[in-house]
Amino acid sequence: MHPNFRLVLYVLSWIIVLGALFVVPRNRKPGSATAWLMLIALQPFLGAALFLLIGNPKLSKRRREHQRRADDIIAERVEDVRNDPTTADFFNPPIPHALEPVIRLNESLGGMAACDGNTVELIAEYDVALGRMAMAVDAATRYVHAEFYIMAMDESTEVFFVALENAVRRGVTVRLLIDHIASRFFRGRSRMAERLTAAGIDWHWSLPFRPFSNAWNRPDLRNHRKILVVDGSVAFTGSMNIIDASYLRRRNIRRGMRYVEVVARVTGPVVLELNAVFVADWFGEGGEPFEPNQPPVRELAQEWDGPATCQALPSGPGYDSENNLKMFTALIHLAHRRVFVTTPYFVPDDSLMTAITSAAQRGVDVCLLTAGVSNQVIVYHAQRSYYEELLRSGVRVFLLPAPELLHAKHLTIDDDIAVVGSSNLDMRSFTLNLEITLLCYDTQVVRDLRNIEDAFLLRSTEVKMERWKRRRLTTKLVDNLARLTASLQ
C-alpha cells in the first residue's frame, strides 16, 4: 500500500472516531452508545458503515410525523366518546386507586384510554386459535382488518385464506398488512401475494425494504404486531402468526416441534382501540384513506356488556418513547404479591432488570417462564447470561423444553392485571419492533391466564442455582459474549 494512501486512511479513521463522539451518544442510552463507540474505535470504517445502516432505531421522519398525526386523531376520538353520554361510562370506568398511575401512564404513552364493557377469552391451543380467527372472518358482514408479522400458505392456514377469499366474495372489504421481511423466508411467498391480489384483497407489505427510497428505515425495524379486527365488534391479538405451528421448518417437522402461543379474543370498546392501531399502520403504508364501514359507536355500544376493563398499548420506533418497556417496568414496580412473566426472549435493559430483581428482593413471588430451546441463537445465549443474577435475587426461572417452542408473551401482576400481546421482553421488542399489547384490569382474566401459566409450569423444568453455576466455561463465555450484542441498538 502506498504510504500516502495509508496516511489518508489513518487521518480518515481519526476523523470518523472523533466525529462519532459528537454523533453516537446523542439521545442514546449509555450502554448502547459505549458499544457503538467501542466498535467504531476498533474498526472505524466497518463500525461507521454499520452505524449508518442500523444505528438509527427510529422510523423515518415521515413515518414518525404520520404517527404523531394519528395519535392526535386518536386523542380527539377518545375525547369525543368520553364526552358522549351514550359511551362516556365505558371510557370513564371506575379505576382502583392502586392501578391509576399505570393506566394514566399507558394512556399518555399510546393515547388509548382504559375502557369498560369488554369480554376477553384466552386461547392457548394453536389450531383452535387459528380456527376461531377463520370463523370470525366467515361471520364478517362489513370489513376485516388483519395485520400479521408472518403469513404463509400451508395446510394449517388454508382455512384462514379461504375465509378471507369468501369474505371478499360476500362484498366484505378485506384490508391486510404483512411484514415485508419476516414472510420472505417461507416457501410460496410469491404465490401467496398473487393469490391475495387475485382474490381482491386490499393488502400491502408493512415496512418494505426500499434502500433507495426517501422514506428509508433501517432494515431490521419490523412490524411485529398481530391484530385481527372484524366489523368493529370482535378482535384477536397476541403472539400468534398465520403459519403452521411447525413454522414449516424441516428440523421442527422432523422432531415434532411446535410453537406454543396465547391469543386473546376480545369484544367491546377495546376492539376500536385495536382497530385504530391498524388504521394508523394502514395509512403509514400508503393505504387509501377510508371511513370504517361499521355501525356508529353509539350502536356498537349497545352490545358492550362484558365485565373487563381493558386498554391497548401500541409501541415501536414510531414513538419517541419505548412505550412497552416503560409499561412493563411500571407494572412490575406496582406488584405486591406475584409477578409471572412468560416470554421466549428475555434480554432486559437495566431498568427492567432492576424492577424484576428488586421485586423479588422485597418479597414478591417472581417467576420467569422462558424457552428451553429457541430459533434465535444469539438471543437465546444472551438471555441465559441473566439467569444467575435473577436466581440470586430470588426470581424463579422455568424453561419449557422441546418439543414445545415457547412463543407466547404474557404477564400477570398480583390478582389485578393480565397482559397479552406481541411484545417480548428484549431490546428488539422495546426498540426496533412495532408491537401491540393488551392490558386487562380484571381478576377473572388474571385467573384464566394463571391457569395457562400453571399448565405451562407442569411441563417445565426449573433452573436451580447450583446446577446452573456448573455449566461449562465455554458455554458461559458464549452467553456473556452474546449479551454484549444487546447494546448495539
Side-chain angles (χ1 to χ4, degrees):
M1 183 182 297
H2 194 280
N4 290 340
F5 185 66
R6 187 181 295 113
L7 177 62
V8 169
L9 291 179
Y10 178 77
V11 173
L12 283 176
S13 66
W14 273 105
I15 291 174
I16 290 172
V17 171
L18 293 174
L21 295 174
F22 291 91
V23 175
V24 172
R26 187 183 305 160
N27 298 321
R28 192 179 299 273
K29 293 181 179 180
S32 175
T34 301
W36 277 112
L37 289 173
M38 288 180 61
L39 177 61
I40 292 172
L42 293 172
Q43 293 288 337
F45 297 101
L46 174 62
L50 287 174
F51 182 79
L52 291 174
L53 181 65
I54 63 172
N56 181 12
K58 295 296 181 184
L59 290 174
S60 66
K61 182 179 179 181
R62 180 187 67 82
R63 288 294 298 259
R64 294 199 304 275
E65 290 175 350
H66 170 82
Q67 184 65 60
R68 294 188 189 100
R69 290 197 300 271
D71 291 344
D72 291 341
I73 294 172
I74 290 169
E76 292 174 6
R77 298 287 174 86
V78 169
E79 194 63 26
D80 288 344
V81 294
R82 276 180 163 166
N83 293 328
D84 188 324
T86 61
T87 56
D89 289 345
F90 294 104
F91 287 89
N92 293 284
I95 298 173
H97 179 72
L99 300 183
E100 186 171 357
V102 72
I103 289 176
R104 299 303 179 213
L105 170 67
N106 293 334
E107 183 173 350
S108 174
L109 293 171
M112 308 290 184
C115 52
D116 214 349
N118 303 285
T119 64
V120 181
E121 178 188 359
L122 301 176
I123 308 170
E125 296 80 21
Y126 199 103
D127 294 334
V128 172
L130 190 56
R132 293 293 297 279
M133 286 191 281
M135 287 174 58
V137 174
D138 281 331
T141 59
R142 296 174 179 268
Y143 70 81
V144 174
H145 290 164
E147 177 174 1
F148 289 96
Y149 181 57
I150 295 172
M151 282 191 72
M153 292 193 308
D154 55 58
E155 291 184 5
S156 297
T157 62
E158 180 65 16
V159 63
F160 189 77
F161 281 92
V162 170
L164 294 178
E165 292 168 332
N166 288 339
V168 174
R169 293 190 187 101
R170 295 194 306 273
V172 175
T173 299
V174 179
R175 299 182 178 93
L176 172 65
L177 293 173
I178 313 170
D179 185 81
H180 184 232
I181 299 297
S183 298
R184 180 180 291 274
F185 306 105
F186 297 98
R187 288 179 299 175
R189 170 185 156 118
S190 297
R191 287 188 293 107
M192 180 183 72
E194 293 170 359
R195 179 177 180 178
L196 293 173
T197 301
I201 295 169
D202 192 359
W203 72 281
H204 295 271
W205 293 120
S206 188
L207 295 179
F209 178 54
R210 294 170 181 157
F212 302 108
S213 167
N214 59 6
W216 159 259
N217 301 301
R218 58 183 278 185
D220 57 342
L221 299 185
R222 307 299 347 134
N223 188 339
H224 196 241
R225 291 173 181 151
K226 292 92 176 172
I227 300 173
L228 174 66
V229 180
V230 177
D231 293 345
S233 60
V234 62
F236 294 78
T237 192
S239 62
M240 185 172 156
N241 294 297
I242 304 299
I243 189 172
D244 183 78
S246 69
Y247 271 50
L248 306 178
R249 294 189 172 99
R250 293 180 180 177
R251 175 186 176 187
N252 294 345
I253 296 171
R254 186 171 63 251
R255 299 184 179 185
M257 300 175 74
R258 293 171 57 86
Y259 277 67
V260 175
E261 314 283 1
V262 171
V263 174
R265 178 190 183 275
V266 296
T267 64
V270 77
V271 173
L272 301 183
E273 297 189 348
L274 294 170
N275 195 52
V277 177
F278 171 88
V279 170
D281 289 344
W282 179 260
F283 293 151
E285 299 303 345
E288 291 296 324
F290 66 89
E291 283 294 326
N293 177 25
Q294 67 186 22
V297 174
R298 291 184 179 187
E299 186 176 331
L300 286 172
Q302 297 176 14
E303 305 295 326
W304 296 345
D305 58 357
T309 299
C310 297
Q311 187 176 27
L313 178 69
S315 58
Y319 291 90
D320 294 330
S321 298
E322 295 168 339
N323 292 359
N324 48 357
L325 173 59
K326 289 185 176 180
M327 177 268 296
F328 285 125
T329 304
L331 288 177
I332 293 168
H333 280 304
L334 189 71
H336 292 286
R337 295 178 300 279
R338 188 182 185 196
V339 173
F340 198 108
V341 177
T342 303
T343 179
Y345 311 127
F346 180 80
V347 186
D349 81 335
D350 291 343
S351 65
L352 183 59
M353 191 66 176
T354 298
I356 290 174
T357 54
S358 62
Q361 289 168 338
R362 67 173 187 267
V364 177
D365 178 15
V366 182
C367 292
L368 169 65
L369 172 66
T370 188
V373 290
S374 176
N375 65 325
Q376 300 288 341
V377 176
I378 295 178
V379 176
Y380 172 73
H381 283 284
Q383 73 180 26
R384 287 160 53 94
S385 70
Y386 292 91
Y387 293 169
E388 185 170 338
E389 183 179 351
L390 292 171
L391 295 170
R392 287 188 185 280
S393 69
V395 177
R396 299 179 68 191
V397 179
F398 295 86
L399 306 179
L400 189 66
E404 293 183 290
L405 291 163
L406 183 71
H407 195 244
K409 310 147 197 315
H410 49 84
L411 172 76
T412 53
I413 301 293
D414 295 336
D415 299 321
D416 307 310
I417 306 174
V419 179
V420 178
S422 66
S423 180
N424 299 300
L425 269 70
D426 68 350
M427 299 308 298
R428 163 159 287 282
S429 281
F430 298 149
T431 309
L432 306 179
N433 286 346
L434 279 67
E435 305 283 7
I436 183 66
T437 302
L438 175 69
L439 296 102
C440 306
Y441 310 101
D442 183 82
T443 56
Q444 183 57 54
V445 180
V446 173
R447 284 194 291 269
D448 293 344
L449 194 50
R450 285 273 163 81
N451 290 335
I452 293 173
E453 292 169 350
D454 291 343
F456 283 154
L457 285 182
L458 290 175
R459 311 196 299 269
S460 299
T461 302
E462 185 170 3
V463 178
K464 295 295 185 179
M465 175 65 84
E466 291 305 315
R467 183 175 180 182
W468 187 251
K469 290 169 63 177
R470 292 199 301 269
R471 69 194 196 283
R472 291 183 299 179
L473 184 63
T474 53
T475 302
K476 294 179 182 179
L477 177 62
V478 172
D479 293 346
N480 292 334
L481 290 175
R483 179 170 177 166
L484 296 177
T485 65
S487 295
L488 288 176
Q489 309 294 348

